[in-house]
Amino acid sequence: AQSVSQHNHHVILSEAASLELGCNYSYGGTVNLFWYVQYPGQHLQLLLKYFSGDPLVKGIKGFEAEFIKSKFSFNLRKPSVQWSDTAEYFCAVRSNFGNEKLTFGTGTRLTIIP
Amino acid sequence: GAGVSQSPSNKVTEKGKDVELRCDPISGHTALYWYRQSLGQGLEFLIYFQGNSAPDKSGLPSDRFSAERTGGSVSTLTIQRTQQEDSAVYLCASSSNGQGRNSPLHFGNGTRLTVT
């Protein structure tokens, strides 16, 4: 069964700091990978996704993530965070065939200090 | 256009009562998912519907939980004899195409269930 690990439970940064949130998954086959974000009081929304091709994907609001197959990782990055990036971030994986279930990590709460 | 709609937004119920949570997916979306979000637990998969196929119920935590999807559209999640550990935010999501692989999930705002 597929699983997702997000080792950072709560990250606190100052504005303009660089961000990297870790995401590792376990699944032996081809996968689709996602990052979702949940801003305070809002519903989950897609930040970026990887299906195939260039392993460096860019999403909304200056976020990017790099798929490293050999490390089973899909870390989220942003060079300079803003206060408005305060939110909870979820990594998710889905197999590329068969079962369509999307498996989420436990999430990382990001707090940006102005 | 309208997004995924869930009702009620909040539900407080007494232990032992049954509750029904409703989800209206985006029109035309063939795939529908239920997840549960608990503090510190992330998003827990409950059940997945895809068109007319048999649903994937592998995430339902007990036989007190059931869900149906009528006419390939609206879905209802039912929890019988609620327990305090059922307290959580129940999220519904839908996606557009038959395979779902190239379409992300669109989430509703969730139903916050509190069992007293």
Side-chain angles (χ1 to χ4, degrees), chain B residues 32-54:
Chain B
L32 187 147
Y33 306 74
W34 283 97
Y35 287 85
R36 179 167 69 175
Q37 186 175 19
S38 305
L39 193 63
Q41 300 295 318
L43 277 82
E44 176 187 6
F45 168 77
L46 297 177
I47 188 169
Y48 160 62
F49 297 89
Q50 173 54 60
N52 295 322
S53 302

Side-chain angles (χ1 to χ4, degrees), chain B residues 1-109:
Chain B
V4 177
S5 176
Q6 291 187 246
S7 60
S9 54
N10 279 286
K11 176 73 176 177
V12 179
T13 189
E14 292 181 353
K15 177 182 172 180
K17 301 284 189 183
D18 297 352
V19 295
E20 282 190 355
L21 312 180
R22 177 187 169 103
C23 172
D24 278 279
I26 293 172
S27 178
H29 279 193
T30 57
L32 187 147
Y33 306 74
W34 283 97
Y35 287 85
R36 179 167 69 175
Q37 186 175 19
S38 305
L39 193 63
Q41 300 295 318
L43 277 82
E44 176 187 6
F45 168 77
L46 297 177
I47 188 169
Y48 160 62
F49 297 89
Q50 173 54 60
N52 295 322
S53 302
D56 176 353
K57 303 179 181 180
S58 61
L60 295 178
S62 78
D63 59 7
R64 296 187 295 105
F65 287 72
S66 62
E68 62 178 22
R69 189 178 184 192
T70 53
S73 180
V74 171
S75 177
T76 302
L77 177 69
T78 301
I79 309 172
Q80 296 178 308
R81 305 180 303 282
T82 52
Q83 303 295 313
Q84 289 185 329
E85 60 263 28
D86 299 335
S87 296
V89 176
Y90 289 81
L91 294 170
C92 178
S94 67
S95 67
S96 62
N97 68 42
Q99 293 305 310
R101 298 186 191 110
N102 290 326
S103 64
L105 271 62
H106 297 262
F107 282 86
N109 286 330

Side-chain angles (χ1 to χ4, degrees), chain A residues 32 34 36 38 41-46 49 51 88 90 94-107, chain B residues 33 35 37 40-45 48 50 56 58 91 95 98-110:
Chain A
N32 302 145
F34 306 81
Y36 280 82
Q38 189 172 29
Q42 296 187 27
H43 61 272
L44 277 158
Q45 56 188 285
L46 182 69
K49 61 185 185 289
F51 290 127
E88 189 146 15
F90 294 90
R94 180 171 62 194
S95 68
N96 198 34
F97 60 92
N99 190 341
E100 301 296 339
K101 181 174 66 180
L102 191 63
T103 300
F104 284 85
T106 52
Chain B
Y33 306 74
Y35 287 85
Q37 186 175 19
Q41 300 295 318
L43 277 82
E44 176 187 6
F45 168 77
Y48 160 62
Q50 173 54 60
D56 176 353
S58 61
L91 294 170
S95 67
Q99 293 305 310
R101 298 186 191 110
N102 290 326
S103 64
L105 271 62
H106 297 262
F107 282 86
N109 286 330

